Amino acid sequence: MSLTLAALVDRLGGRLLGDPDWVVAGLAPLQSAGPQQISFLSHPKYQNQLAASQAGCVIVAPAFEAMVSQGRSAIVTDDPYLYFARLTRLWKLTQQTVKGPRLHPTSVIDPDAWVAEDAVVGPLCVVERGARVGSGSVLKSRVTLSEGCSVGERCILHSGVVVGADGFGFALHQGQWEKIEQLGAVRIGNDVEIGANTCIDRGALDDTVIENGVKLDNLIQIGHNVHIGAHTAMAGCVGVAGSARIGAHCTVGGGAVVLGHLTLADHVHISAASVVTRSILQPGQYTGMFPLDTNSSWEKNAASLKQLSRLRDRIKALETDIQNNKEL
């Protein structure tokens, strides 16, 4: 199925400059796009690439409309990046090949599980007893949805996702660990996307909860009884320890860690590789990492950091002495 610029603008909006019958042959970045492909400019720092690009059509903001060269089509819109995101979804719909079976024959679905009539369960998936998969949701290959766990509507779970494995709960007794049975489940809302090989543990007593619109990257660990608010996004290799509560519209950068039983307010943004060791109750950007340096400099700085508490005590003592001398 071909996609013309006229059809594109009819579906997604925007103001078209150029030939409405021009057929989109593909989508590509500015620097590699060819004459039959469409690209986009979303940030002023890439405007030099626009002049050199061979793209046949470019999606631009009104501020860059004048930079579009003669003979090239353009779609003018207030948010080119959002427009391009929607175009990728439209493009995929136009390029879809024949679909495979809705429930792959190698998948294992317990008779007591419930899968919506339009949900897709891919190869080698396991949907255990009492689990639920909502309308329009897709489980890619090798997804495990454990007993009693639920996935809402229009969700995507990528290959290797495990939802509802036991949380890491053990009691120490006389030098040995005794297992605490994990009796809760995992509840995933609507429009959630979970990246490959991400694991979400079931709750110990209450459920682990992933609210609507949450986006989780690959290789993320979500501990038991964690609650993640709506439309929060986490990049790859994030770890969230048990019973942490993450607010709505938060972002957590790749490799960051949130310790257990902490609370992050709505609209909190954690930089990559940070370790969150205390609750954050005010919105904002937070960073907690030690800057990269040569090893010798890093060792010197690390040694200095160890002395900070002692240095603080000495400064306090000096301040007290100065104050006392002033009073004499």
Side-chain angles (χ1 to χ4, degrees), residues 245-262:
R245 294 188 65 87
I246 313 292
H249 302 282
C250 295
T251 58
V252 183
V257 173
V258 180
L259 299 188
H261 299 273
L262 300 182

Side-chain angles (χ1 to χ4, degrees), residues 24 88 94:
V24 181
T88 62
T94 65

Side-chain angles (χ1 to χ4, degrees), residues 213-216 220 228-236 238 240 246-258 264-274 276 280 283-287:
V214 168
K215 310 300 181 187
L216 302 180
I220 287 176
I228 300 178
H231 307 292
T232 282
M234 298 183 182
V238 164
V240 182
I246 313 292
H249 302 282
C250 295
T251 58
V252 183
V257 173
V258 180
L264 271 59
D266 296 346
H267 299 282
V268 166
H269 306 288
I270 305 299
S271 299
S274 296
V276 181
I280 301 174
Q285 180 80 36
Y286 295 83
T287 303

Side-chain angles (χ1 to χ4, degrees), residues 11-326:
R11 291 285 296 273
L12 301 182
R15 177 162 51 89
L16 175 61
L17 304 175
D19 181 7
D21 296 323
W22 188 81
V23 177
V24 181
L27 285 59
L30 278 171
Q31 66 270 27
S32 61
Q36 300 303 312
Q37 293 178 309
I38 187 169
S39 189
F40 71 104
L41 174 65
S42 64
H43 196 284
K45 70 179 181 180
Y46 300 119
Q47 57 186 296
N48 291 337
Q49 294 181 9
L50 176 59
S53 178
Q54 298 298 309
C57 180
V58 181
I59 304 164
V60 296
F64 299 102
E65 179 179 343
M67 295 183 60
V68 179
S69 59
Q70 294 294 325
R72 175 188 290 166
S73 297
I75 296 172
V76 182
T77 180
D78 290 336
D79 191 339
Y81 192 60
L82 176 62
Y83 196 101
F84 191 80
R86 291 172 176 170
L87 172 58
T88 62
R89 301 203 300 271
L90 177 60
W91 178 255
K92 187 170 183 178
L93 285 175
T94 65
Q95 303 303 306
Q96 278 185 341
T97 56
V98 178
K99 294 182 179 180
R102 187 177 69 83
L103 305 179
H104 197 275
T106 63
S107 63
V108 178
I109 302 174
D110 191 278
D112 290 331
W114 180 84
V115 178
E117 292 183 358
D118 61 346
V120 176
V121 180
L124 303 174
C125 288
V126 176
V127 182
E128 295 185 354
R129 179 168 59 92
R132 299 177 62 85
V133 181
S135 174
S137 288
V138 176
L139 276 57
K140 304 284 190 176
S141 60
R142 303 187 312 280
V143 170
T144 298
L145 185 61
S146 299
E147 181 177 353
C149 297
S150 62
V151 173
E153 299 178 356
R154 301 174 301 280
C155 295
I156 302 173
L157 276 61
H158 289 278
S159 298
V161 165
V162 177
V163 175
D166 277 359
F168 194 65
F170 300 89
L172 185 61
H173 176 65
Q174 296 180 352
Q176 299 184 40
W177 296 104
E178 295 197 15
K179 182 175 179 60
I180 300 171
E181 288 296 340
Q182 304 294 290
L183 305 178
V186 177
R187 289 187 285 120
I188 296 174
N190 301 329
D191 303 301
V192 172
E193 184 160 353
I194 302 173
N197 294 322
T198 283
C199 298
I200 304 175
D201 290 346
R202 65 173 59 247
L205 296 175
D206 294 330
D207 295 339
T208 302
V209 177
I210 312 295
E211 291 191 8
N212 294 344
V214 168
K215 310 300 181 187
L216 302 180
D217 199 358
N218 303 333
L219 296 168
I220 287 176
Q221 164 65 26
I222 305 296
H224 57 181
N225 296 109
V226 168
H227 189 120
I228 300 178
H231 307 292
T232 282
M234 298 183 182
C237 298
V238 164
V240 182
S243 299
R245 294 188 65 87
I246 313 292
H249 302 282
C250 295
T251 58
V252 183
V257 173
V258 180
L259 299 188
H261 299 273
L262 300 182
T263 297
L264 271 59
D266 296 346
H267 299 282
V268 166
H269 306 288
I270 305 299
S271 299
S274 296
V275 179
V276 181
T277 59
R278 59 178 175 83
S279 292
I280 301 174
L281 305 181
Q282 297 295 325
Q285 180 80 36
Y286 295 83
T287 303
M289 66 181 74
F290 202 77
L292 185 70
D293 205 343
T294 62
N295 187 67
S296 59
S297 295
W298 187 93
E299 287 180 342
K300 289 177 184 177
N301 290 329
S304 298
L305 283 174
K306 289 182 178 180
Q307 306 301 320
L308 283 180
S309 60
R310 224 176 289 174
L311 181 60
R312 180 193 58 196
D313 293 341
R314 290 175 61 189
I315 290 174
K316 283 184 176 179
L318 286 171
E319 289 175 339
T320 300
D321 289 344
I322 291 171
Q323 186 63 34
N324 291 337
N325 288 333
K326 284 181 178 180

